[in-house]
Amino acid sequence: NTVYVVYYYTLDFYSLFLISMSEPEHLKNSVVKKDGFSFCFNQAACSSCGARCCRGNSGNIWVNSNDIYNICKLLGVNQIDGLRLFFQKRENQYTIREQLNDRNDYRCIFLNNLNLCSIYDARPSQCRTYPFWDHFKMDIDGLVKECKGVQKL
């Protein structure tokens, strides 16, 4: 395993977390199809796309209490500190914090400098189900531009 150092900026201090990661075997040459969707998704493309789904315009990655618990457990942080460090409340729900980079783009705070997800094993359900979101049924062309792993059927 490779150890990556990930810095998370918070309003009051920097926190340093060491996270051990390796590319999961199931991502290699795995094409997924789901009923009701007119596209398929090659998960192997994730290793070379630069994480376009995790950066760009500001957005919301909604998390539920199980997501928060799993992320905090993976990072070795209690949930009270985790809520303050990694999440923010919007529209009466919690979402993962974003960072504004020097190109005026936003990125998920869990996206490391190698454009890999530092919480991959505990990523929220919204991330786990990407790109099979209902709104992409109506915007397949936009999805194909964003995600090089998506192919129309």
Side-chain angles (χ1 to χ4, degrees):
N1 283 345
T2 304
V3 175
Y4 298 102
V5 177
V6 183
Y7 293 93
Y8 299 100
Y9 175 74
T10 64
L11 298 176
D12 52 1
F13 66 96
Y14 285 92
S15 299
L16 174 65
F17 296 94
L18 295 176
I19 299 169
S20 177
M21 293 178 48
S22 62
E23 183 178 1
E25 286 296 318
H26 70 274
L27 288 184
K28 297 175 181 169
N29 300 321
S30 178
V31 176
V32 179
K33 297 177 185 173
K34 298 248 180 181
D35 289 339
F37 291 87
S38 59
F39 59 86
C40 63
F41 173 55
N42 182 350
Q43 294 177 324
C46 293
S47 63
S48 63
C49 79
R52 289 189 280 184
C53 60
C54 302
R55 59 186 175 79
N57 294 329
S58 182
N60 295 309
I61 299 297
W62 301 115
V63 291
N64 59 37
S65 58
N66 288 333
D67 295 329
I68 292 168
Y69 171 80
N70 290 330
I71 291 167
C72 290
K73 182 179 176 184
L74 177 75
L75 296 175
V77 176
N78 72 56
Q79 290 183 58
I80 293 170
D81 289 337
L83 280 173
R84 184 175 49 81
L85 293 170
F86 310 124
F87 308 98
Q88 68 184 71
K89 201 166 194 174
R90 284 189 193 159
E91 302 174 27
N92 212 26
Q93 300 177 68
Y94 282 99
T95 183
I96 293 177
R97 289 188 184 273
E98 299 172 302
Q99 292 176 321
L100 185 60
N101 66 24
D102 56 355
R103 293 185 313 266
N104 228 15
D105 286 336
Y106 289 89
R107 61 188 286 129
C108 174
I109 64 164
F110 296 118
L111 189 63
N112 68 23
N113 290 339
L114 300 174
N115 287 325
L116 297 172
C117 178
S118 62
I119 60 162
Y120 187 84
D121 291 335
R123 68 196 187 284
S125 55
Q126 184 173 336
C127 299
R128 290 179 187 273
T129 59
Y130 181 85
F132 296 100
W133 298 345
D134 284 339
H135 77 267
F136 285 135
K137 290 179 179 180
M138 307 308 280
D139 186 20
I140 297 170
D141 291 333
L143 176 60
V144 168
K145 288 177 187 173
E146 177 179 303
C147 179
K148 70 183 200 175
V150 170
Q151 295 176 349
K152 294 181 186 181
L153 296 176

